[in-house]
Amino acid sequence: KNSFRDHINYGILEVLSGSVLPPKHLPGNDVNLVTRFAVFHSERLEKLKSTKSREIVGVRLMAIFVIMMLQPIMVSEDITLFVMNPSIAIEVAGYISSVPEVDMKVVTSAMLAVRSFLRFDSRAGEVSAALHLSSPHGPLLAILRRLREVVEEKLEMPYERFFLVAYIDLLIRIAASHELQGNLVSAGIITETLAVIERVNPSQHRVAEKLVIVLENLLNKSAAALDPFLTADGLSIIVRKIEELVKGRINSVSTYQTKSDSQGFLCSLLRLIERLLVTYSTDDRLRNLVEGTLFSYSLRSIMTQRDTFSSEELAHALVITASFVHNEPTALTILQEQQVTQALLE
């Protein structure tokens, strides 16, 4: 509704309804209704494919998204959409492109439709093949590389907000899938995501916040994701970004919107560190956290300057400190020297 409300007039809706809805009186008896509707459906599908109107294509994709989101998960194998369109995942994924010149509304609708397919575990394989998830040259990784280019070269963002919301929501859903997350990792998504997070400017904090959730899902559910994360210097990148955000909040006067975006971004980064300490509590490679600025500056600043930071940020700082001491009791002396424990007790 939000994507198309201002772009569709009654004439287009009339054409759309004539393309989608069956005639009021189909010949024959009710026994053959399914067969007759299948024939009608195939005919109107060809009509939609041949149309020149990108808006109708976009609405059709949005209709698929709505239909799939309304389906009970238990009946995924019997959904008429899949029965009548065995290659529907490949067809819809074909609309997804990283090229800004392509109609962004159609691409956005296609990503929402693919996202709706992933409600059903039985469709994971089809979606993976359609999107070439395990290949670094697939459309989702191509979009992420384009984002990396934008933040590294300080270019104008080529994608609309709705596009980015649908894109990152699709990534988050895939990263949360046990069947698909390994494909994303092997395609190199961790390196590309870290590169975007490292270089985003304040106007892009909302996008970066959602990308951190992608990393969190991958690291929380796939042990194979930790090695490429650490190899790409992910821990140092996250710690440096936390320090940058903490300094920015302390040293500058932000507008309500930039402060809100910064707060969400900082919380997501802190939550990622928290998850790492809980999920990989026995991994020795996390001990290096005590040597950087995470405890000595960032967390201590959040604890001592509570008026500057939210209660959620403070809660994450406390949990991270407590979890680290629980995992590494010998590090308590170092934290005491850094006055972190004193700040915690205060």
Side-chain angles (χ1 to χ4, degrees), residues 249-321:
R249 292 277 288 283
I250 293 174
N251 299 328
S252 67
V253 178
S254 304
T255 65
Y256 174 80
Q257 185 60 47
T258 56
K259 182 178 179 180
S260 175
D261 292 350
S262 168
Q263 179 179 324
F265 188 22
L266 179 56
C267 280
S268 66
L269 292 169
L270 293 172
R271 187 171 58 246
L272 177 61
I273 296 290
E274 184 181 319
R275 287 291 181 89
L276 287 173
L277 291 174
V278 172
T279 306
Y280 304 98
S281 58
T282 60
D283 198 301
D284 293 340
R285 292 172 291 183
L286 298 182
R287 292 178 179 176
N288 295 333
L289 283 172
V290 76
E291 299 173 0
T293 60
L294 178 66
F295 292 101
S296 62
Y297 175 77
S298 300
L299 299 188
R300 184 166 62 85
S301 297
I302 293 174
M303 295 177 197
T304 55
Q305 302 192 44
R306 293 184 290 278
D307 293 339
T308 305
F309 298 92
S310 69
S311 58
E312 185 179 359
E313 291 163 329
L314 176 60
H316 283 305
L318 297 175
V319 172
I320 289 172
T321 304

Side-chain angles (χ1 to χ4, degrees), residues 1 13 18 38 66 75 98 121 159 207-208 218 234 255-257 268 270 302 318 334-335 344-345:
K1 178 181 176 181
L13 287 177
V66 172
V75 299
S98 63
D121 294 337
Y159 301 126
V207 173
L218 290 173
T255 65
Y256 174 80
Q257 185 60 47
S268 66
L270 293 172
I302 293 174
L318 297 175
I334 300 175
L335 295 180
L344 186 150
L345 292 173

Side-chain angles (χ1 to χ4, degrees), residues 22-318:
K24 292 182 179 179
H25 303 288
L26 289 173
N29 55 48
D30 292 338
V31 177
N32 296 320
L33 179 61
V34 173
T35 302
R36 287 183 287 113
F37 187 81
V39 173
F40 167 77
H41 177 83
S42 63
E43 292 174 353
R44 69 101 177 175
L45 191 61
E46 291 303 317
K47 183 178 179 180
L48 278 176
K49 286 182 179 179
S50 63
T51 181
K52 301 290 185 182
S53 173
R54 300 292 288 177
E55 289 175 333
I56 290 182
V57 174
V59 171
R60 174 175 174 264
L61 293 170
M62 287 292 286
I64 291 173
F65 165 70
V66 172
I67 290 169
M68 296 303 297
M69 294 303 289
L70 291 175
Q71 295 295 327
I73 295 179
M74 306 79 83
V75 299
S76 63
E77 298 298 337
D78 302 320
I79 293 177
T80 307
L81 185 68
F82 291 129
V83 175
M84 293 185 176
N85 300 269
S87 60
I88 188 70
I90 295 175
E91 177 192 342
V92 172
Y95 289 107
I96 299 178
S97 169
S98 63
V99 182
E101 289 73 20
V102 174
D103 191 326
M104 287 294 101
K105 292 182 178 60
V106 171
V107 181
T108 301
S109 302
M111 288 191 290
L112 288 172
V114 171
R115 162 70 178 83
S116 69
F117 296 157
L118 292 174
R119 291 185 65 233
F120 311 98
D121 294 337
S122 60
R123 302 297 162 184
E126 297 173 40
V127 171
S128 178
L131 293 175
H132 308 287
L133 284 184
S134 58
S135 169
H137 304 294
L140 297 186
L141 266 293
I143 294 171
L144 192 56
R145 282 195 297 273
R146 177 62 178 151
L147 287 176
R148 177 178 181 174
E149 181 183 346
V150 167
V151 299
E152 287 182 343
E153 300 182 17
K154 296 181 172 60
L155 303 175
E156 183 179 351
M157 179 62 70
Y159 301 126
E160 299 173 355
R161 184 171 66 87
F162 280 119
F163 177 95
L164 291 172
V165 169
Y167 169 67
I168 298 178
D169 183 59
L170 177 57
L171 283 183
I172 289 173
R173 181 62 186 84
I174 294 173
S177 168
H178 287 287
E179 294 184 46
L180 299 180
Q181 59 190 204
N183 295 336
L184 281 182
V185 173
S186 62
I189 190 173
I190 289 179
T191 301
E192 298 294 339
T193 302
L194 285 170
V196 175
I197 291 171
E198 184 177 21
R199 294 174 175 84
V200 290
N201 61 51
S203 67
Q204 299 159 343
H205 280 174
R206 187 62 62 86
V207 173
E209 174 190 345
K210 302 302 182 184
L211 286 175
V212 174
I213 298 176
V214 175
L215 281 181
E216 183 182 343
N217 282 346
L218 290 173
L219 291 165
N220 189 43
K221 296 178 179 293
S222 174
L226 183 62
D227 287 338
F229 174 78
L230 295 176
T231 301
D233 203 24
L235 212 53
S236 298
I237 290 172
I238 299 301
V239 169
R240 287 198 300 270
K241 202 66 187 179
I242 290 174
E243 179 186 2
E244 176 187 320
L245 291 172
V246 170
K247 284 182 177 178
R249 292 277 288 283
I250 293 174
N251 299 328
S252 67
V253 178
S254 304
T255 65
Y256 174 80
Q257 185 60 47
T258 56
K259 182 178 179 180
S260 175
D261 292 350
S262 168
Q263 179 179 324
F265 188 22
L266 179 56
C267 280
S268 66
L269 292 169
L270 293 172
R271 187 171 58 246
L272 177 61
I273 296 290
E274 184 181 319
R275 287 291 181 89
L276 287 173
L277 291 174
V278 172
T279 306
Y280 304 98
S281 58
T282 60
D283 198 301
D284 293 340
R285 292 172 291 183
L286 298 182
R287 292 178 179 176
N288 295 333
L289 283 172
V290 76
E291 299 173 0
T293 60
L294 178 66
F295 292 101
S296 62
Y297 175 77
S298 300
L299 299 188
R300 184 166 62 85
S301 297
I302 293 174
M303 295 177 197
T304 55
Q305 302 192 44
R306 293 184 290 278
D307 293 339
T308 305
F309 298 92
S310 69
S311 58
E312 185 179 359
E313 291 163 329
L314 176 60
H316 283 305
L318 297 175

